[in-house]
Amino acid sequence: AQSVAQPEDQVNVAEGNPLTVKCTYSVSGNPYLFWYVQYPNRGLQFLLKYITGDNLVKGSYGFEAEFNKSQTSFHLKKPSALVSDSALYFCAVRAGSTNAGKSTFGDGTTLTVKP
Amino acid sequence: GAVVSQHPSRVICKSGTSVKIECRSLDFQATTMFWYRQFPKQSLMLMATSNEGSKATYEQGVEKDKFLINHASLTLSTLTVTSAHPEDSSFYICSASPFRVDSPLHFGNGTRLTVT
């Protein structure tokens, strides 16, 4: 079984400050990890993924995430937040060995960036 | 690339009628598509996995006869909500995968269903 935890329902930051959205996971085998963003009344958009290689991955819109195997974490980060980053963020995991392609999503974290 | 188109974006229907939602992969072949339901301020609830040319796999608690899924081609899956009731009102989202385990999911823009 695989699972994802996003411990914070809400993250509030001031524009220009760094932001972190936390994610921890549990999966058998090698994890394939993803971050998605959802704007109101829209589907999810892919931000970045970790498959293998460097633990720090860079993605769209200046976001990056750090894979930490020992802590089973994959926190999303951005050095300087923008008001337009305000949205709902989902972390997802998929076991590398599965052929079903089924991802497990966290409950989501609402990010609010205030001017 | 990797665009998924979902239609309609909004639909209002009367209780007892059926509604069909389409999900198309526009620039890739999707052997697998997923259908989700999302309640306000909540995570995605996977309803079913749609596999081209075979029956859909439904998650526990999802009524197969209520939510009919058809994946007749590599680019189209449909979800039909049969005999809709107000409690079926929700935001339905599809996603598609080109069946590479390291590929991200590509999502449609969702369908807001309101049953009156």
Side-chain angles (χ1 to χ4, degrees):
Chain A
Q2 55 194 35
S3 65
V4 174
Q6 293 181 240
E8 302 156 317
D9 291 336
Q10 180 95 29
V11 170
N12 298 313
V13 299
E15 187 174 30
N17 283 0
L19 69 86
T20 299
V21 183
K22 297 179 180 178
C23 170
T24 58
Y25 67 90
S26 175
V27 68
S28 298
N30 295 323
Y32 288 3
L33 295 157
F34 304 84
W35 274 102
Y36 297 90
V37 60
Q38 184 182 30
Y39 296 99
N41 296 311
R42 302 296 294 270
L44 280 66
Q45 297 176 32
F46 167 69
L47 277 180
L48 50 79
K49 66 179 179 181
Y50 172 82
I51 304 301
T52 186
D54 290 339
N55 290 341
L56 183 65
V57 294
K58 295 186 183 295
S60 306
Y61 312 119
F63 283 93
E64 57 189 30
E66 187 167 11
F67 171 67
N68 187 315
K69 187 174 182 178
S70 63
Q71 297 185 4
T72 61
S73 67
F74 189 55
H75 300 331
L76 181 70
K77 300 181 180 184
K78 187 173 183 179
S80 179
L82 300 173
V83 173
S84 58
D85 292 330
S86 299
L88 182 57
Y89 290 81
F90 290 99
C91 180
V93 68
R94 182 191 304 161
S97 58
T98 184
N99 61 6
K102 187 188 298 186
S103 296
T104 299
F105 288 83
D107 288 339
T109 298
T110 299
L111 171 67
T112 302
V113 181
K114 298 185 177 180
Chain B
V3 177
V4 174
S5 175
Q6 184 175 343
H7 292 282
S9 58
R10 290 179 176 271
V11 58
I12 301 172
C13 70
K14 293 186 176 180
S15 187
T17 61
S18 296
V19 174
K20 181 184 284 188
I21 302 169
E22 291 189 349
C23 182
R24 294 180 183 272
S25 57
L26 298 185
D27 52 1
F28 67 99
Q29 292 184 332
T31 55
T32 305
M33 290 186 174
F34 302 95
W35 287 96
Y36 305 86
R37 185 172 177 175
Q38 186 178 31
F39 295 96
K41 297 186 179 180
Q42 291 190 11
S43 187
L44 303 173
M45 183 193 81
L46 179 65
M47 300 174 65
T49 301
S50 171
N51 299 299
E52 187 269 336
S54 65
K55 291 183 179 180
T57 303
Y58 290 81
E59 296 299 303
Q60 191 172 7
V62 177
E63 299 177 58
K64 300 178 184 181
D65 296 331
K66 174 76 171 174
F67 299 100
L68 299 179
I69 291 173
N70 183 278
H71 194 157
S73 77
L74 286 171
T75 60
L76 174 65
S77 176
T78 60
L79 167 68
T80 302
V81 182
T82 63
S83 187
H85 292 283
E87 57 265 31
D88 298 325
S89 298
S90 194
F91 193 57
Y92 294 88
I93 309 175
C94 71
S95 71
S97 169
F99 197 62
R100 280 179 48 190
V101 70
D102 62 341
S103 293
L105 292 171
H106 306 289
F107 289 83
N109 277 331
T111 297
R112 174 72 60 190
L113 171 63
T114 303
V115 184
T116 60

